[in-house]
Amino acid sequence: MLRQSIGSVRLVIALFSVTAAVTKLLYDRFLPELTDLDAVRWTIIGLGSVAFISTYFRFKRAITVTYFSLFLYLSTLFYVIAFVVINRFDPNAVIILILVVGASSVIINSLFYYGVQSAIILLASMLAYSSSHLGHENLMAFLNLIIALGVFGIVIAVRLKLISSVKKSHSTLEKLNVLSIVANKEGDIVFVSPSVQNLLGYDPKELVKEGWWSSQNLRDGWISRDYILNYPNILPKEIMSMETSLISKDGKKVWFSWVNSMLPNGNYVGVALDVTKYKNN
């Protein structure tokens, strides 16, 4: 599973629980002819509620939420497969399985695990299909399921390739001794690249918000905070590119060549290259 913030995890679990409950009520109201495993479905919805509440307890939260969420997802997957098979690939039942598979393409970060999931679905579907006589609508729903598995597999492959490219770019920037920093219109530092650890010895977390400005070694080494506050959405040529020196955590002077720009939302972005060795020469 991809690493997510606890807020994102809460949102996913909440959406899962609410959607599952609403879908259940709607299907019972408008599609009463479908056979459902009511006890299993409501148990899973209840477990989703418990999982949501567990995210607010900090004691061993990472382990608890991770394994609880995995158990919840696997329970949902096997339940939905059973729901589809019992209803002989009714198109309305297959839609639920396709939605579950689509959701998995967002959180699964391994083609192997997605392949295992798809293999389980296909095996169960083939066994059910071989022992049943499906109508044209049911057969088309079965074929749509197979197509959806392939499409979502491609989506995962593309997403993982993009993530890999970003990681490689990040690694390249670190090797180039490039520092980047972002400040919002309120003057708060909202991002400092991890490369600051190697370049200046600071942990990026200690420099966000007021951290950069409260450090005597750093606050005068980029665009001043007063300028950001007093001249929003303005970036004159004289500060688009500049050279400044910063003092590292261990007291060494490090020279940087800055290229500054502004994002569409008004945030200031600075990208700096360590040019100390050229200055010393």
Side-chain angles (χ1 to χ4, degrees):
M1 300 285 179
L2 289 174
R3 294 181 179 178
Q4 304 286 344
S5 68
I6 192 62
S8 298
V9 172
R10 285 195 192 110
L11 178 61
V12 170
I13 294 176
L15 288 174
F16 161 80
S17 302
V18 173
T19 303
V22 171
T23 304
K24 169 62 178 169
L25 295 173
L26 290 175
Y27 269 48
D28 286 349
R29 174 69 176 82
F30 297 105
L31 298 168
E33 68 276 9
L34 291 179
T35 303
D36 200 355
L37 305 171
D38 290 337
V40 176
R41 177 102 170 218
W42 286 114
T43 298
I44 292 174
I45 293 172
L47 289 173
S49 301
V50 173
F52 179 80
I53 294 172
S54 70
T55 62
Y56 287 93
F57 295 92
R58 293 183 176 275
F59 179 71
K60 294 186 177 180
R61 183 168 62 184
I63 297 176
T64 303
V65 172
T66 298
Y67 286 102
F68 202 165
S69 299
L70 178 61
F71 172 74
L72 185 63
Y73 175 72
L74 291 176
S75 301
T76 302
L77 178 63
F78 286 117
Y79 155 74
V80 176
I81 291 174
F83 178 64
V84 169
V85 172
I86 290 173
N87 288 283
R88 296 165 53 85
F89 293 92
D90 182 283
N92 294 301
V94 172
I95 287 174
I96 301 297
L97 180 54
I98 290 176
L99 289 175
V100 171
V101 174
S104 74
S105 69
V106 177
I107 59 176
I108 292 179
N109 67 337
S110 168
L111 282 175
F112 173 76
Y113 292 128
Y114 180 79
V116 171
Q117 170 185 274
S118 299
I120 293 172
I121 294 173
L122 287 175
L123 180 60
S125 299
M126 293 298 293
L127 290 175
Y129 176 73
S130 62
S131 60
S132 303
H133 298 287
L134 303 180
H136 293 304
E137 287 187 358
N138 305 71
L139 179 59
M140 286 305 301
F142 173 69
L143 294 176
N144 287 338
L145 174 60
I146 294 176
I147 293 171
L149 289 173
V151 170
F152 288 130
I154 294 172
V155 170
I156 290 178
V158 172
R159 179 171 58 80
L160 293 180
K161 186 175 181 180
L162 289 174
I163 292 173
S164 177
S165 297
V166 170
K167 288 181 177 179
K168 288 180 180 178
S169 299
H170 184 273
S171 176
T172 301
L173 286 175
E174 294 227 343
K175 291 178 181 178
L176 291 173
N177 289 333
V178 173
L179 170 65
S180 57
I181 182 172
V182 179
N184 62 22
K185 291 186 289 187
E186 289 71 39
D188 294 327
I189 303 299
V190 295
F191 173 79
V192 179
S193 62
S195 57
V196 74
Q197 184 83 56
N198 295 328
L199 292 169
L200 297 170
Y202 294 94
D203 187 321
K205 293 180 181 179
E206 62 182 307
L207 299 181
V208 296
K209 294 184 179 179
E210 299 289 333
W212 179 277
W213 308 119
S214 61
S215 172
Q216 293 183 349
N217 294 336
L218 305 176
R219 63 188 177 197
D220 296 325
W222 188 46
I223 302 173
S224 71
R225 189 178 193 183
D226 287 340
Y227 180 88
I228 294 174
L229 293 174
N230 295 323
Y231 302 96
N233 301 316
I234 299 174
L235 188 68
K237 291 182 179 180
E238 55 265 26
I239 62 173
M240 284 185 179
S241 60
M242 58 187 189
E243 283 190 359
T244 63
S245 62
L246 301 172
I247 305 300
S248 66
K249 204 166 189 178
D250 59 4
K252 295 179 180 178
K253 180 182 285 190
V254 184
W255 283 91
F256 287 95
S257 177
W258 291 90
V259 175
N260 299 308
S261 59
M262 185 175 292
L263 296 177
N265 62 1
N267 287 359
Y268 289 82
V269 180
V271 179
L273 180 66
D274 180 1
V275 294
T276 305
K277 63 180 181 181
Y278 301 107
K279 281 287 184 179
N280 292 337
N281 291 336

